[in-house]
Amino acid sequence: PSPASDHLIINSPDTGYVELFDASGRIVLRSHIVPGINELGVRHLLTGRYVLRSNGAQVPTAVMIAR
């Protein structure tokens, strides 16, 4: 995955939510999303790999936070 540093951009076809999990499986970010482009702030997160899951996705997405 392409690393993010300050924010993630999510293009969603539907209203719903996304959750970002750390390597321990803890939810570190939960956000409501709307149809279209959504920007999630991740500046507060440590560098590392995370898993992004949305309410409509069958398969989670890997996310890399890098500074």
Side-chain angles (χ1 to χ4, degrees), residues 11-25:
N11 189 1
S12 176
D14 301 310
T15 299
Y17 65 91
V18 293
E19 296 172 325
L20 195 62
F21 298 85
D22 67 10
S24 299

Side-chain angles (χ1 to χ4, degrees):
S2 298
S5 59
D6 296 326
H7 58 271
L8 293 173
I9 303 294
I10 297 175
N11 189 1
S12 176
D14 301 310
T15 299
Y17 65 91
V18 293
E19 296 172 325
L20 195 62
F21 298 85
D22 67 10
S24 299
R26 293 180 299 225
I27 297 173
V28 294
L29 184 129
R30 180 180 287 149
S31 183
H32 178 76
I33 56 173
V34 296
I37 303 296
N38 295 266
E39 185 173 313
L40 305 178
V42 295
R43 182 177 285 244
H44 66 284
L45 298 175
L46 298 174
T47 296
R49 289 187 176 269
Y50 295 84
V51 174
L52 180 73
R53 185 170 32 182
S54 68
N55 58 322
Q58 296 295 321
V59 178
T61 302
V63 174
M64 175 62 99
I65 306 295
R67 303 280 178 248

